[in-house]
Amino acid sequence: MRKRKFFLLLIIVLLWHVDTIEAQDVAEKKINIIVIGAHPDDCDNKMGGTAALFAKMGHHVKFVAVTNGDAGHYTKGGGALAKIRRAEAEEAAKRLGIDEYTVLDNHDAELLPTLAIRNDLIREIRNWNADVVLTHRPVDYHPDHRYTGILVQDAAYLVIVPNVTPDTPPLKKNPVFLYLQDRFQKPYSFQPDIAVDITSTFNKKMEALDAHQSQFYEWLPWTSGRLADVPTSKEDRMKFLVNIWSRTVSPDVRESLKRWYGPQKGENIKYAEAFEICEYGKQPTDSELRVLFPMLNK
Amino acid sequence: MRKRKFFLLLIIVLLWHVDTIEAQDVAEKKINIIVIGAHPDDCDNKMGGTAALFAKMGHHVKFVAVTNGDAGHYTKGGGALAKIRRAEAEEAAKRLGIDEYTVLDNHDAELLPTLAIRNDLIREIRNWNADVVLTHRPVDYHPDHRYTGILVQDAAYLVIVPNVTPDTPPLKKNPVFLYLQDRFQKPYSFQPDIAVDITSTFNKKMEALDAHQSQFYEWLPWTSGRLADVPTSKEDRMKFLVNIWSRTVSPDVRESLKRWYGPQKGENIKYAEAFEICEYGKQPTDSELRVLFPMLNK
Amino acid sequence: MRKRKFFLLLIIVLLWHVDTIEAQDVAEKKINIIVIGAHPDDCDNKMGGTAALFAKMGHHVKFVAVTNGDAGHYTKGGGALAKIRRAEAEEAAKRLGIDEYTVLDNHDAELLPTLAIRNDLIREIRNWNADVVLTHRPVDYHPDHRYTGILVQDAAYLVIVPNVTPDTPPLKKNPVFLYLQDRFQKPYSFQPDIAVDITSTFNKKMEALDAHQSQFYEWLPWTSGRLADVPTSKEDRMKFLVNIWSRTVSPDVRESLKRWYGPQKGENIKYAEAFEICEYGKQPTDSELRVLFPMLNK
Amino acid sequence: MRKRKFFLLLIIVLLWHVDTIEAQDVAEKKINIIVIGAHPDDCDNKMGGTAALFAKMGHHVKFVAVTNGDAGHYTKGGGALAKIRRAEAEEAAKRLGIDEYTVLDNHDAELLPTLAIRNDLIREIRNWNADVVLTHRPVDYHPDHRYTGILVQDAAYLVIVPNVTPDTPPLKKNPVFLYLQDRFQKPYSFQPDIAVDITSTFNKKMEALDAHQSQFYEWLPWTSGRLADVPTSKEDRMKFLVNIWSRTVSPDVRESLKRWYGPQKGENIKYAEAFEICEYGKQPTDSELRVLFPMLNK
Amino acid sequence: MRKRKFFLLLIIVLLWHVDTIEAQDVAEKKINIIVIGAHPDDCDNKMGGTAALFAKMGHHVKFVAVTNGDAGHYTKGGGALAKIRRAEAEEAAKRLGIDEYTVLDNHDAELLPTLAIRNDLIREIRNWNADVVLTHRPVDYHPDHRYTGILVQDAAYLVIVPNVTPDTPPLKKNPVFLYLQDRFQKPYSFQPDIAVDITSTFNKKMEALDAHQSQFYEWLPWTSGRLADVPTSKEDRMKFLVNIWSRTVSPDVRESLKRWYGPQKGENIKYAEAFEICEYGKQPTDSELRVLFPMLNK
Amino acid sequence: MRKRKFFLLLIIVLLWHVDTIEAQDVAEKKINIIVIGAHPDDCDNKMGGTAALFAKMGHHVKFVAVTNGDAGHYTKGGGALAKIRRAEAEEAAKRLGIDEYTVLDNHDAELLPTLAIRNDLIREIRNWNADVVLTHRPVDYHPDHRYTGILVQDAAYLVIVPNVTPDTPPLKKNPVFLYLQDRFQKPYSFQPDIAVDITSTFNKKMEALDAHQSQFYEWLPWTSGRLADVPTSKEDRMKFLVNIWSRTVSPDVRESLKRWYGPQKGENIKYAEAFEICEYGKQPTDSELRVLFPMLNK
C-alpha cells in the first residue's frame, strides 16, 4: 500500500506539470472543436477532412455521436451492433488523429429532443471548453439528424448559464455554432459561410470512412441495393469510397472557397467541406473565423 | 369440427389463388397510395378527388386519420364522438371507392410527435407497401396537422430500416413523400410540384365530404358562426359544400396544371388538387411521377 | 380480375359458415384465455402446461409478449434478435396447440407503464373477448415483469369502459384476472388460489421451452455461467430443460391441488401450475372457477 | 369611471373586514379539510357524510376531483361529458354544504403520476391551508384511484418545501394524510384508524350522490347491467341509492367506532365512514385526531 | 357570523355594479391584450412601450411569463430566485400600468412544448378573453423563447374548441396572434407588419426594465462580462438601460411606421416596437388592426 | 511539447503499476460497495458508520446521490444550492474516508423513475464493479426516496444484461442489493437481515453529517421549526447532531445484532446500522454475507 501512495503522489505531481503544459497550449491559441453528429460516422463524413487538418495543426478535436448506431444494419442490431460501431468510431478517430470520439448511448432511429440528452450535450460542450461546435441543420433526411440539430441549437446559449447542469462549470462565452453541409433546399438551402480546402487530408477522411466497415461496406450499400458491388481488397475499397463519398465542389461552395482562399487558389481546390454559421451562437467576424479556422490563412 | 377444418383448408387454397392474383396486380403496376391526415376528413378534403381517380383506375388507396377526431364538436365528444366519426370515415371511403380508411385512436387536439405514433405510421406505410405517401406540411393552422406532418417526415427513410419496428418487414425502397396543399406562406408557400385535374371526380369528393356530417354540417359551420345557414335537403347541402369547399385554381397551381397537362388543357381545368414533393423521401423524376400518377398522362 | 371476384365471393360464403361454427363454440362454452407475459417465453414457462390443457379441450388460448425480447442475448440484439424470438414464439405456440402468440414490438428491458402500451393491452384483451386474463404479479425480479403486471392491472376494469380505446368495442363484463406464480415473498408471497395438474401436458410445455432456443440454450445458461453445460442432442436437451425448469410442487400449491382435485388425487400430482386471483378483476366463486378452468373437474 | 373607483374602494374596505372575520375563524380553530378523489363523485361516496358533518360544524371542506370524469358514460364523452359532471359536482357540494368542489381538467381513465399534476395537487393543498388531506389508497380497482393515491402521497412532505411550486407559499406544517376506505386486501387490508358516525348526515350524503345523475342513474347501473332497474321518481331513486350505496358497518370499523365513541354508542351506530392514517404525513396522536375530527367528541 | 353575512351580501351587490361597469367597458370597445413571453422580463422588453400605451388608453393588458426565471442568475437559483423575479414582475406591471403579470411556475431553461403547458396557455388566453395574443417567433436565441412560440402557436385555433380544456369556456373567435420583434434572419427575417410609436411611453418601458433588477443590473451584465460597468444611482442606471436596450429603428420598421403613421410622422418617430402577424390566428385587415391597435390612429 | 510527451509516458507507466496494485486488492478480496441515496446526505445518514468501517478496512465505498439536492433549503435553491451541496458531499466523503461521492444532476423533489436515470444508475453500479448495492426501500416519507428505491430495483438484474447500456460492460454477476433502514410499517416493516456495530465509527458518521452544514444546521432544523436551537460552536453542534440523529437500537435490530455478533456482544452494542436483503438481487447465504461484510466477523 505504501508503494501505491508513492506512485499516486508522483502521478499528481506529474499531472500538475501536464496541466501547466496545457495552459501553455491555450496561450498558443489551441482551438477546441467539438463536432456533434447523429450516428457514429456522420461527423467523419461531414467534416473528417477539416478535423484531420485541425488535428495536424495541434488543435483539439472531439467527435460526438448522439446515438449509438444500434439500428443501422440489416442482420445485426441492438447492443451487439452498438459495440461494433463504437470500436469502428475509435478506429476512425485514430486514423484522423483527433483526440476523442464519444458515442452516447441513445438508440439509433429513436432520438427525440429530450432534456436529458440536451443536458448531456451541454456537458460535452462545456467539458471540451469548446470554441467551435458543429452539428447537423434541423433539416435533413434522417429524423435523428434533425433532432440532433435541434438538441445542439437548444444547448446553445445554455452552455454559459451556470444554473443549467450545475455539475459542470459553464463556459465563459457562447461558442461559435456551425452547421455541417447538406443538400436540402427547404425552407432554405445550406449557406456555405465557410469552406475549407481538405485536399491534403482527403485520404485520411476516406481512411476514417473505411474504419466504419459496418456502414460503408455493409449497411449503406445494402440500403441502395449495391451490396454486391462492394469490393474486398483495401485498394478497391478506397476507390469505391472515393467514388461514392467524395463530393464535387458545388458552385456556391466554390464561391466561398474563393472568398476565403483568394480567387485563384479557390478556383483550383479539389476537395472541400463547408459550414454555415448558426444564428444562436456567437456571431463571428471574418477575422475571428480566421482565428478559429487557422487553415483558412494558408 | 371436421366441417370447420374442411372449410378452413378450402379457404387457404383459395387465398393462395388470391395472392397469385395480387402478384399479377403488381405486375400490372398497380400503385399503392397512402394518405395520412390529422383528422377523419382531412384526407378527403385535401385529396379526395385524386383518390377517387386512383380508385377508378384500379389502384390501391388508403386513408389514415392520425387522430380519432374526438374533439371536433360543440355538443359531443370523447369516444362517443369518435365512433360517429369512424362511421362517417367508412362511409366516405365507400363513396370515393377507395380500399381502406383507418382511424388511429389518438385524441384529437392532443397529438404530439411521439415514438409510439411514429412507429404506428411506419407500420401503416409498410403494410400498405406504399409507393406514394401524402400528408400535411408541418405548417398549417391546426397543431394536429403540423405534428402529423412531422410524424410522417420522421417515418420517411425509417420505413426501409429493418431494425425499426421489426414486427413489420421494411419496404424495399423509400416511397415518394408528398405534401397536401395549404394556404400558408411562411417560411415558404406551398409548391405545387404536381397538380391533378379532379373535375371528373369532383362530385365524388363532395359526396365524401357530405359523409362527414358531423363536420361539414355541424362542427365547421358552428366554428364560423354559420350553423343556421346549413341546409337540410341533400341537394341544397351539396350546393352548400361546393360553395364553401371547392377551391378556385390558384395561379401557381394553374401553371403546374399546364406543365403536366399541356398549356391548352391545363388552362381549362375546373377543379384541381396539388401536391409538393417532400425532400425526405425518394426524389422522383417527372417520368417517374407520371408512372406514379398515371392520370397525368391522359 | 373476374376470377378474383369469384374467389372472394366464395371465401365470403365460406367465412360465413366458419363464423356460424364459431358461434356454436360459444354455445358450447368455449373459454377465451389470454396470457400476458413480459418476454417471448414467459407465458410458456409460467402457464404452458395449463395452456396446452385448455387447447386440447378446444378452448381458445392466446399468448402475448409485451416486449419483443430484443435485449435477451449476449451476442445478438435489436430487431435482428426480435425476429428470431418472434419465430421461436410462433413455433412454441404450434407445439402447445394454442391459437395465437402475439409479440408486441416494445423494447426488452425498457418497458414502462405508458398509456400507449396500456391501451394496446386493452385492445388485445377485448379482441380476444377474454374470460380469463393472466399476467405477472408486480413483484418479480425483472422490471419488465413488474411493469407488465402494472400494465395489466391498469387495463383491468377499463376493458369494459366504452370511451377508452373507442376503436375496439368494450367487453360486456370485466374478466377474471389471475397472477402467474413467482417465488417472491414481499410484500406478501404468491397465493395459489388455483392449482392445475399439468402432468399430462408437461412434455408439451418442455417442448414449448425447447422452441425458445435462443433463451433456454443460449441466453439463460449464459447468465448463469452454464453455457458449456448445454447439451446438443434433442434428447439430452429435453432432460436439461426438465432438470432446470420443472418446478417441484411447493407445500402451499400442494394444499391448493388437494382442495381442487380432492385430497388423494391432489397428493399425487407430479407437475402443477398455480394462479392467484387479482383483486381488480371479477372476483369469481369456486364454481365459476370450475367453469373457467374445466380441467379442474376431471 | 369615478363611480367605479368608489365602489372598488368600498369593496376593499369591506373585504378587509371579512378577512378579519376569517382570522377569527382560525382563532376558533376551524379545521381545513381537503379530500382528493379520482373522479367527480369519489369524494362524495367515500366521505360525503363526514364532510357534511364538518360543514355543519362550520369547518372548511373542499373536494377535489383529479380527473374531469370525461370517460364515465356509455353514450356521452369528452368535454361535453366533463361539463355535465362539473355541474353535478357543484350541485353535490351545495347539497353537502361544503365550501368548494374543484374538478381538475385531466382525462378520466388516463391519469398518470406526472410532476405537473403532482404540483397542481401541492398547490390545492397549500391554498386550502389544509390540516387534513384525504385520498384513495394506492390499491383500488380503478387505475385512476391508484394513481390519485400515489400523486397525493408524492405531494405529502413536499407541501412544506418552499422551493417546490414556489408560486404558492408552503404550509407551515405537513398535514395529517388519511386514506379513504376500500375493500381491497392486498398487500394488506384497509385499517380503520378513525371511524366517524355519519348517521345524522347520511341522507345528505345520499342527496349528494343523487346530484351525480350521470353516474348513479346512468353509468354505474349500465356497467352492472342494471340500467332497467333505475327508478324515475325522486323517492324511489333515493331508496335505490340507499339500497346499493349504504355500506354496512364491517366488524373492524365497528371496533374503531367503539374505540372512538365508547363501546355502547359505538355498538349502535348505523352508518359510518372510516379512514386510515397514511405514514407519509404528520403522525397524529389520538388527542390531536380529536381536535381535527371534533365530531368524535360528541 | 351575522356581521360577516351582511358584508358579503353588500359585496355581492357592489360587485354587481362593477360588473355592469365592466359591461360598459366592452361596449366602449376595450381591447384585451395578452403578451406571452418566456421569462419574467421578455414581455416588458419586447412590448413594454406598446403595453403602456394600451394601458394609458384604458385597455386591458396582461403579461404572462411561461417560466419562472429560476435559472437566470449566477449566484441565486431555484424557487428562491423565482420569488425575486415574481416580485420584480409585479413591480414592472405597476410601473407600466398594466392589469396583470402572471408568472407560470415552469423551470427556466427547461421549457418543452408539453400538452400541460399548452393547456395552461389556452386557459390564460381564454380567461383574458383575448382579442390580441403576442409571443416570440419560434426562431430566437434561447430555447425557452422558441418553445414559447411553439406553445402559443399550438394554442391558436384550439382556444375556440370547446372540447379542449373544457373547464374554461372557449373564445367565440380566434384572436389575432402576433410575433414580437427579433433579429433572426433564418428561415426568414422578422416582418414588421405593424409598428407602434412608443416614444411617449419609452421612459415607462425603461422603468419597467429597471424593476427587473436581478436581470438588467445583475444577470445580463454578468453574461456579457460587464458587471463592473453597472452604475448604482437610479439616474445612471436609467441611462445605462437606455444605452443598451433602446433599439434604433431599423429600415424595415421605419417603412412600417410610415405606412401606419403617414410618411412624415413615420419618418420622425424616435422609438418603436414592431409586430408580425402569425398565420395561425385570425388574419386581420388593416382597418381591423386599427381597431385593435387604436394608437395607430393618432 | 516533448516534455509533455515524456511526462505522459511516465504517467502511463505509473498507472500500470497502480493498476497492478489494484489487481492485488482484488486478490485480497476487497469488497466494492455502492450506496445510492436520493439526496446528498441520505447515504451518510443511513450507512455512514458502516461505510467508514468498510473504508478503514481498505474496501472500496462509493456514495451516489440521485438528485443534486437543489430544493432542500428555505432561502437558497437551484444550481447555486446544488454547488454548495456537492461541496458538502465531497467533504463528507473525505471525513468518512470513502473513495467517491457522486452527485447526479437531477432536480431534488422532482425525481421520477425514468429510463435515462435508471440507465445512469446501471452505469454507476457497473463501473464500480459492485459486490453490494444499498438503497432506500420504495416506502419512505419523501417521493425522491421512494423513486430512488424503484430505480435501483429496476437496475437490479439489468446490470448483468450486455444489451442494456452497451457503452458499459455488464457485471459478471448480479450483486447483493440491500435496503437502508427506515421506520415505515406498511405494507410491511423494515427487516434487519443484517445489523452492523458502528460504535467505533459513530463519531466519523457524525462528522460526515456535520459536513452537510446546509442540511443539518439549516434546512432540517428549519423544517421542524428549530432553527433557533442550532448551536454555533463545533463542540455543541456535534452534541446537537448526536442528540437528534443517533438512532437508539430498536428491539428487532438488537435481535439481528445478537444473531451476527453473538448474544453477549450483540446485547451491548451502542450504535448500529441495519440492512434488509432485497429480493431482486443475488440472495446471499449467511456465510456469503460474512464475506461481503467482513466487520461482522470481528
Side-chain angles (χ1 to χ4, degrees), chain D residues 266-280:
Chain D
E267 190 61 49
N268 295 301
I269 288 168
K270 189 164 177 198
Y271 295 119
E273 286 168 344
F275 312 105
E276 173 179 338
I277 298 167
C278 163
E279 294 190 285
Y280 303 155

Side-chain angles (χ1 to χ4, degrees), chain A residues 111-180:
Chain A
L111 190 65
L112 289 179
T114 66
L115 280 185
I117 302 178
R118 181 205 290 181
N119 287 340
D120 282 343
L121 294 182
I122 289 172
R123 289 184 189 99
E124 292 288 347
I125 295 168
R126 289 181 176 177
N127 283 330
W128 201 247
N129 194 18
D131 300 298
V132 184
V133 181
L134 296 108
T135 194
H136 303 283
R137 289 204 303 162
V139 287
D140 207 332
Y141 78 101
H142 195 303
D144 290 352
H145 292 206
R146 297 195 290 274
Y147 290 121
T148 296
I150 287 171
L151 281 160
V152 176
Q153 285 183 349
D154 290 356
Y157 181 73
L158 298 188
V159 291
I160 68 161
V161 178
N163 271 314
V164 172
T165 60
D167 59 352
T168 314
L171 294 184
K172 298 268 162 57
K173 315 185 225 174
N174 207 8
V176 172
F177 285 76
L178 298 172
Y179 293 123
L180 302 164

Side-chain angles (χ1 to χ4, degrees), chain E residues 216-217 221-222 224-233 236-237 239-241 243-244:
Chain E
F216 290 92
Y217 305 135
W222 183 88
S224 51
R226 290 193 275 183
L227 203 49
D229 304 346
V230 177
T232 48
S233 78
D236 291 346
R237 286 189 159 203
K239 278 184 207 153
F240 173 83
L241 287 179
N243 208 24
I244 295 176

Side-chain angles (χ1 to χ4, degrees), chain B residues 6-245:
Chain B
F6 166 75
F7 284 129
L8 279 172
L9 203 71
L10 193 52
I11 286 165
I12 288 160
V13 170
L14 292 170
L15 281 171
W16 185 266
H17 277 260
V18 173
D19 262 14
T20 316
I21 293 162
E22 296 261 344
Q24 289 170 7
D25 280 9
V26 175
E28 291 164 17
K29 299 266 179 242
K30 292 303 176 199
I31 313 294
N32 298 322
I33 301 101
I34 190 166
V35 194
I36 301 175
H39 308 103
D41 70 344
D42 284 324
C43 296
D44 322 50
N45 194 12
K46 295 295 185 122
M47 102 124 201
T50 309
L53 279 177
F54 271 119
K56 228 169 34 176
M57 298 169 81
H59 301 290
H60 304 307
V61 182
K62 174 169 193 168
F63 282 3
V64 175
V66 182
T67 76
N68 62 15
D70 64 356
H73 210 272
Y74 47 100
T75 57
K76 299 165 188 166
L81 176 56
K83 267 192 279 191
I84 293 168
R85 300 201 63 181
R86 187 177 306 277
E88 292 173 346
E90 275 158 23
E91 176 62 23
K94 229 167 63 186
R95 294 184 184 184
L96 290 171
I98 65 170
D99 300 75
E100 284 189 31
Y101 204 132
T102 292
V103 179
L104 296 181
D105 211 15
N106 300 300
H107 281 309
D108 185 1
E110 300 188 9
L111 189 65
L112 288 179
T114 67
L115 280 184
I117 302 178
R118 182 205 289 182
N119 287 341
D120 283 344
L121 295 181
I122 288 172
R123 290 184 189 99
E124 293 288 348
I125 296 169
R126 290 180 176 179
N127 284 330
W128 201 245
N129 194 18
D131 300 299
V132 185
V133 182
L134 296 107
T135 193
H136 303 283
R137 289 204 303 162
V139 287
D140 208 333
Y141 78 102
H142 196 303
D144 290 353
H145 292 205
R146 296 195 291 275
Y147 289 122
T148 296
I150 286 171
L151 282 160
V152 176
Q153 285 183 350
D154 290 356
Y157 181 73
L158 299 187
V159 292
I160 68 162
V161 178
N163 272 314
V164 172
T165 61
D167 60 352
T168 314
L171 293 184
K172 297 267 163 56
K173 313 185 226 175
N174 208 8
V176 172
F177 285 77
L178 299 172
Y179 294 123
L180 302 164
Q181 190 175 358
D182 62 65
R183 65 171 190 270
F184 297 92
Q185 307 293 320
K186 294 173 183 172
Y188 71 95
S189 61
F190 174 82
Q191 307 293 312
D193 294 319
I194 313 179
V196 174
D197 175 2
I198 62 156
T199 314
S200 71
T201 53
F202 179 77
N203 284 344
K204 269 197 186 173
K205 178 176 179 173
M206 289 300 116
E207 287 285 351
L209 301 196
D210 173 77
H212 296 282
Q213 306 240 342
S214 75
Q215 298 305 296
F216 290 93
Y217 304 135
E218 301 175 12
W219 170 238
L220 294 169
W222 183 88
T223 63
S224 51
R226 290 192 274 183
L227 202 49
D229 305 346
V230 177
T232 48
S233 79
K234 176 69 190 267
E235 205 188 338
D236 291 347
R237 286 189 160 205
M238 290 308 287
K239 279 184 206 153
F240 174 83
L241 287 179
V242 171
N243 207 24
I244 295 176
W245 296 101

Side-chain angles (χ1 to χ4, degrees), chain E:
Chain E
M1 278 306 274
R2 250 186 249 154
K3 238 181 11 175
R4 191 185 174 189
K5 271 184 195 153
F6 164 76
F7 283 129
L8 279 173
L9 203 71
L10 192 52
I11 285 166
I12 288 160
V13 171
L14 293 171
L15 281 171
W16 185 268
H17 277 260
V18 173
D19 262 13
T20 317
I21 293 162
E22 297 260 343
Q24 289 169 5
D25 280 7
V26 174
E28 292 163 17
K29 299 264 179 244
K30 292 303 177 200
I31 313 294
N32 298 322
I33 301 101
I34 190 165
V35 193
I36 301 176
H39 309 103
D41 70 343
D42 284 324
C43 296
D44 322 50
N45 195 12
K46 294 295 184 122
M47 101 125 201
T50 309
L53 279 176
F54 271 119
K56 229 169 32 176
M57 298 170 81
H59 301 289
H60 303 308
V61 182
K62 174 168 193 169
F63 282 3
V64 175
V66 182
T67 76
N68 62 15
D70 63 356
H73 209 272
Y74 46 100
T75 58
K76 299 165 188 167
L81 177 56
K83 268 192 279 190
I84 293 168
R85 299 201 64 180
R86 187 177 305 278
E88 292 173 346
E90 274 158 23
E91 175 61 21
K94 227 167 63 185
R95 295 185 184 184
L96 291 171
I98 65 170
D99 300 75
E100 284 188 32
Y101 204 132
T102 292
V103 179
L104 296 180
D105 211 14
N106 301 299
H107 281 310
D108 185 2
E110 300 188 9
L111 190 64
L112 289 179
T114 66
L115 280 184
I117 302 178
R118 183 206 289 183
N119 287 341
D120 282 344
L121 294 182
I122 288 172
R123 289 184 189 99
E124 292 289 348
I125 295 169
R126 289 180 177 179
N127 283 330
W128 200 247
N129 194 17
D131 298 300
V132 184
V133 182
L134 296 108
T135 193
H136 302 284
R137 289 204 303 162
V139 288
D140 208 331
Y141 78 101
H142 195 303
D144 290 352
H145 293 206
R146 297 194 291 274
Y147 290 123
T148 296
I150 286 171
L151 282 160
V152 176
Q153 286 183 350
D154 290 357
Y157 180 73
L158 298 188
V159 291
I160 68 162
V161 178
N163 272 313
V164 172
T165 61
D167 59 354
T168 314
L171 294 184
K172 298 268 161 57
K173 313 187 226 173
N174 206 9
V176 172
F177 285 77
L178 299 172
Y179 293 123
L180 302 165
Q181 189 174 359
D182 62 65
R183 65 172 191 269
F184 297 91
Q185 307 293 321
K186 293 174 185 173
Y188 71 93
S189 61
F190 174 81
Q191 307 293 313
D193 294 319
I194 313 179
V196 174
D197 175 2
I198 62 157
T199 314
S200 71
T201 53
F202 179 76
N203 284 345
K204 268 197 187 173
K205 178 175 179 174
M206 290 300 116
E207 286 285 353
L209 302 196
D210 172 77
H212 296 282
Q213 306 239 341
S214 74
Q215 299 305 295
F216 290 92
Y217 305 135
E218 301 173 14
W219 170 237
L220 293 169
W222 183 88
T223 63
S224 51
R226 290 193 275 183
L227 203 49
D229 304 346
V230 177
T232 48
S233 78
K234 176 69 190 269
E235 203 188 340
D236 291 346
R237 286 189 159 203
M238 292 308 287
K239 278 184 207 153
F240 173 83
L241 287 179
V242 172
N243 208 24
I244 295 176
W245 296 101
S246 68
R247 222 169 316 177
T248 328
V249 173
S250 68
D252 54 349
V253 171
R254 181 67 67 199
E255 278 319 295
S256 185
L257 286 170
K258 287 191 206 164
R259 195 176 146 244
W260 288 101
Y261 289 91
Q264 202 165 357
K265 187 163 182 206
E267 190 62 50
N268 295 300
I269 288 167
K270 189 163 176 197
Y271 295 119
E273 285 168 345
F275 312 105
E276 174 180 337
I277 298 167
C278 164
E279 294 191 283
Y280 302 155
K282 177 185 165 62
Q283 300 299 291
T285 62
D286 275 14
S287 57
E288 285 169 331
L289 283 173
R290 287 196 188 272
V291 172
L292 294 171
F293 284 77
M295 63 285 285
L296 294 179
N297 305 319
K298 295 196 173 170

Side-chain angles (χ1 to χ4, degrees), chain A residues 46-58:
Chain A
K46 295 294 184 123
M47 102 126 203
T50 309
L53 279 177
F54 271 119
K56 230 168 34 175
M57 298 169 82

Side-chain angles (χ1 to χ4, degrees), chain A residues 12-267:
Chain A
I12 288 160
V13 170
L14 293 171
L15 281 172
W16 186 266
H17 277 260
V18 173
D19 262 13
T20 316
I21 293 162
E22 297 258 344
Q24 289 169 7
D25 279 8
V26 175
E28 291 164 18
K29 300 265 179 242
K30 291 303 176 199
I31 313 294
N32 298 323
I33 302 102
I34 190 165
V35 193
I36 301 176
H39 308 103
D41 70 343
D42 284 323
C43 297
D44 321 51
N45 194 11
K46 295 294 184 123
M47 102 126 203
T50 309
L53 279 177
F54 271 119
K56 230 168 34 175
M57 298 169 82
H59 301 290
H60 303 309
V61 182
K62 173 168 194 169
F63 282 3
V64 175
V66 182
T67 76
N68 62 15
D70 64 356
H73 210 271
Y74 47 100
T75 58
K76 299 165 188 165
L81 176 56
K83 268 191 279 191
I84 292 167
R85 300 200 64 180
R86 186 176 307 276
E88 292 173 347
E90 275 158 24
E91 175 63 22
K94 228 167 65 186
R95 295 185 183 184
L96 290 171
I98 65 171
D99 300 74
E100 283 189 32
Y101 204 131
T102 292
V103 179
L104 296 180
D105 212 15
N106 301 300
H107 282 308
D108 186 1
E110 300 188 9
L111 190 65
L112 289 179
T114 66
L115 280 185
I117 302 178
R118 181 205 290 181
N119 287 340
D120 282 343
L121 294 182
I122 289 172
R123 289 184 189 99
E124 292 288 347
I125 295 168
R126 289 181 176 177
N127 283 330
W128 201 247
N129 194 18
D131 300 298
V132 184
V133 181
L134 296 108
T135 194
H136 303 283
R137 289 204 303 162
V139 287
D140 207 332
Y141 78 101
H142 195 303
D144 290 352
H145 292 206
R146 297 195 290 274
Y147 290 121
T148 296
I150 287 171
L151 281 160
V152 176
Q153 285 183 349
D154 290 356
Y157 181 73
L158 298 188
V159 291
I160 68 161
V161 178
N163 271 314
V164 172
T165 60
D167 59 352
T168 314
L171 294 184
K172 298 268 162 57
K173 315 185 225 174
N174 207 8
V176 172
F177 285 76
L178 298 172
Y179 293 123
L180 302 164
Q181 189 174 359
D182 62 64
R183 64 171 192 270
F184 297 92
Q185 308 292 320
K186 293 173 185 173
Y188 70 95
S189 61
F190 174 81
Q191 306 293 314
D193 295 318
I194 313 178
V196 174
D197 175 2
I198 62 156
T199 314
S200 72
T201 53
F202 179 77
N203 284 344
K204 269 197 186 173
K205 179 176 180 173
M206 289 300 117
E207 287 284 352
L209 301 196
D210 173 77
H212 296 282
Q213 306 240 343
S214 75
Q215 298 305 296
F216 291 93
Y217 305 135
E218 301 174 13
W219 170 237
L220 294 169
W222 184 87
T223 64
S224 50
R226 289 192 277 182
L227 203 50
D229 304 347
V230 177
T232 47
S233 78
K234 177 70 190 268
E235 205 188 338
D236 291 346
R237 286 189 159 204
M238 292 308 287
K239 279 183 205 155
F240 173 83
L241 287 180
V242 172
N243 208 24
I244 295 175
W245 296 101
S246 67
R247 222 169 315 178
T248 328
V249 173
S250 67
D252 54 348
V253 171
R254 180 68 67 199
E255 279 318 296
S256 186
L257 285 171
K258 287 190 206 164
R259 196 177 144 242
W260 288 101
Y261 289 91
Q264 201 165 358
K265 189 164 179 204
E267 189 62 49

